[in-house]
Amino acid sequence: MSRRRIRKMLREMSGGGPVSATSALGTIRTLSRLAFYAEQFGYRYASVHEVNRKFQILVVPDPDPRALARAAHNWTWYPDAADGGALPPLDADAVAVLKARMSFELATRFTEKQMIGITVFGFTGLAVGPWIKFGLVVGGPLWVAFMALVAVLLVANRRYRAKHSAVLESAGFTAVTDPDGRPRYLPPAADRRD
């Protein structure tokens, strides 16, 4: 991961407001590491979004006394972190939980009904061209194959979500359903800030 991105994020955090961060490739792995470093210096991970085909995280100031103490400690031990100096050691377990949280949030951006609708609509659109050009003999079987693929993708998404749910539940997160019907995970009660 580029230290330049970490430095940029840490400098933006000095303003005290919410900070959005992305990486050159916008991978969840890189973003979970960025979120980890934000949490070491007084911020907490809030959400992940897709912007211009890249993933972007939002980190916000964390008023929790433990977070403030951790930030004070790390700024004392790593005063040049924002200028390219040493950084706190990476905690692989904390990064894995952040990665699972981001992955789960992205996998549940849409409800299952919305995902099925979007996928069926998109695949039907892809089948229309061959249907018009070659007729029902080619277009029909192609459309049927695409609809079978919808079921495969749905099962794959459920397994992907279950894998990340297991990580979050073992870390003490609680499953909830938001007002839009999407599943979400709340941090352990001791870490919640409402």
Side-chain angles (χ1 to χ4, degrees), residues 27-49:
T27 65
I28 297 301
R29 179 175 179 251
T30 301
L31 293 176
S32 60
R33 289 177 176 199
L34 280 172
F36 170 79
Y37 284 118
E39 290 185 352
Q40 301 312 298
F41 292 98
Y43 273 61
R44 67 179 167 92
Y45 165 76
S47 64
V48 64
H49 304 284

Side-chain angles (χ1 to χ4, degrees), residues 107-120:
T108 59
R109 284 181 289 189
F110 305 106
T111 63
E112 278 196 357
K113 284 184 180 180
Q114 289 171 328
M115 285 178 27
I116 292 169
I118 291 168
T119 309
V120 167

Side-chain angles (χ1 to χ4, degrees), residues 77-145:
W77 282 95
Y78 306 99
D80 298 328
D83 298 321
L87 293 166
L90 203 62
D91 179 349
D93 293 335
V95 172
V97 169
L98 285 164
K99 182 179 177 187
R101 194 169 172 196
M102 290 177 197
S103 298
F104 186 84
E105 287 179 17
L106 289 170
T108 59
R109 284 181 289 189
F110 305 106
T111 63
E112 278 196 357
K113 284 184 180 180
Q114 289 171 328
M115 285 178 27
I116 292 169
I118 291 168
T119 309
V120 167
F121 182 75
F123 282 159
T124 300
L126 287 174
V128 166
W131 194 317
I132 291 171
K133 185 167 183 158
F134 300 110
L136 186 60
V137 174
V138 173
L142 184 61
W143 183 81
V144 169

